[in-house]
Amino acid sequence: MVRRLVDRRVSFTHLCTVFLWLVTCFNGRNAVKIVKVVVPEIIQYGVQDAVILDCDYTYGNNTSGLMVKWFFKNNARPVYQWIVPQKPQDMGILRGRVDLTYRASNDPLKMHRALRIVKPNTDISGDYTCVVSTFMEEDSRTKQMTVFVPETNFRLIQNKTDDDTVNVICAAEGAFPAPNLTLATPERRLDGIAHNLKLVNGRYSAVASVTLNDADLPSPAEFICTLRITQANYAVRKESIYYPGPISTTPEMPTAADMQLAAAVGSKGTNIYTALSIFLLPAFIPALL
């Protein structure tokens, strides 16, 4: 009796294993699965005319309702859609910016799987999600792309308003994503730095400033400003030499770049804007007298 029960249990287990194997094989034959998503992490604005985001996949025997969609950021509506065998469509932020004639494959069930975005700009930086589906299955993958823009202007200014202190001001404009500015000497990174960041027409203006006592500085003193955009693994630096002592009787005339940086700070950076104004105004006083 016991042996019969054991034999029945073994047979039942065997039947379950066979059943699960058949189900797995059936689903595998009909499943759609993404095997590779190629999205460049960083591209530099103005360097290339177009960028390609590819989404390769495998499909089973049942391809009824095969559809490829691309989503941007967390938007519930796609920015690209291809329902086989119809023509692809671009929508939302990518409307009119996708080459709809581009083919990533000669396979009629894969040919329009990819996005070819022409003239990429900073507004298309973000997460992209590819979703491939049929009436039976669906798969998705997400990757991030950043359109990087180097700064168009980068200045390190010494603003001396009295005989005992100096304002060290580092400013940059025209960058994307938001740059990080640090002020330092060859020996140490400076503390107590005030930062201001402003987004203007899709580009960032940034200012970092600190006021230092002449008595705390060697003569001469060297200041270093470093601009970093971490996402792009990008860094540049400016250096200047400062001699502590009385204010010069012949102030340096501001350049056009100095004027642009002062304007770039805007109303949100009142303290820094005031410091820049104090620096620029004395140079114009002789011309006004």
Side-chain angles (χ1 to χ4, degrees), residues 151 153-155 170-175 179 181 204-207 227 261 264:
E151 77 290 347
N153 201 358
F154 185 28
R155 298 281 289 169
C170 181
E173 62 177 328
L181 298 180
Y204 283 97
S205 294
V207 176
L227 180 154
L261 288 172

Side-chain angles (χ1 to χ4, degrees), residues 18-265:
V18 173
F19 176 76
L20 290 173
W21 180 81
L22 290 172
V23 169
T24 302
C25 290
F26 178 80
N27 287 338
R29 292 176 60 193
N30 291 280
V32 59
K33 182 175 179 59
I34 295 175
V35 295
K36 183 171 63 174
V37 173
V38 180
V39 175
E41 292 183 9
I42 293 288
I43 61 170
Q44 185 170 336
Y45 172 76
V47 171
Q48 55 196 79
D49 294 332
V51 59
I52 296 173
L53 284 60
D54 197 5
C55 181
D56 195 8
Y57 51 88
T58 59
Y59 52 85
N61 294 332
N62 186 353
T63 59
S64 299
L66 182 62
M67 180 188 306
V68 178
K69 291 183 178 181
W70 283 89
F71 294 84
F72 179 60
K73 295 184 177 178
N74 294 322
N75 200 318
R77 295 184 178 182
V79 292
Y80 178 86
Q81 176 176 285
W82 176 45
I83 303 173
V84 180
Q86 301 177 18
K87 294 181 179 180
Q89 299 173 287
D90 53 359
M91 295 165 279
I93 194 172
L94 294 186
R95 183 180 295 276
R97 304 170 72 174
V98 178
D99 179 3
L100 299 178
T101 65
Y102 177 75
R103 295 187 177 190
S105 171
N106 291 324
D107 185 337
L109 298 179
K110 290 186 177 184
M111 62 174 59
H112 293 301
R113 73 192 187 208
L115 287 174
R116 184 176 185 269
I117 306 173
V118 297
K119 297 181 179 179
N121 206 336
T122 56
D123 62 338
I124 64 167
S125 296
D127 289 337
Y128 285 84
T129 300
C130 173
V131 178
V132 183
S133 62
T134 64
F135 289 146
M136 301 293 295
E137 299 284 341
E138 179 178 284
D139 197 10
S140 66
R141 296 272 188 91
T142 300
K143 285 197 173 182
Q144 186 181 67
M145 181 178 73
T146 299
V147 181
F148 151 68
V149 184
E151 77 290 347
T152 57
N153 201 358
F154 185 28
R155 298 281 289 169
L156 179 56
I157 302 167
Q158 300 169 15
N159 167 27
K160 192 167 180 62
T161 57
D162 60 51
D163 288 346
D164 300 322
T165 62
V166 60
N167 295 319
V168 183
I169 305 165
C170 181
E173 62 177 328
F176 187 92
N180 177 49
L181 298 180
T182 58
L183 283 169
T185 67
E187 294 78 24
R188 64 186 177 91
R189 184 168 174 170
L190 299 176
D191 299 322
I193 298 173
H195 291 273
N196 179 266
L197 187 67
K198 187 175 182 181
L199 184 62
V200 180
N201 298 325
R203 304 289 189 272
Y204 283 97
S205 294
V207 176
S209 68
V210 64
T211 300
L212 302 172
N213 293 318
D214 279 8
D216 298 331
L217 299 171
S219 182
E222 182 181 0
F223 299 124
I224 304 167
C225 180
T226 304
L227 180 154
R228 292 184 179 87
I229 300 179
T230 306
Q231 299 93 318
N233 194 27
Y234 174 81
V236 292
R237 56 188 273 172
K238 290 279 186 180
E239 302 171 3
S240 68
I241 301 297
Y242 171 70
Y243 293 90
I247 299 175
S248 172
T249 56
T250 57
E252 178 185 358
M253 286 295 291
T255 65
D258 295 330
M259 297 298 292
Q260 291 174 3
L261 288 172
V265 177

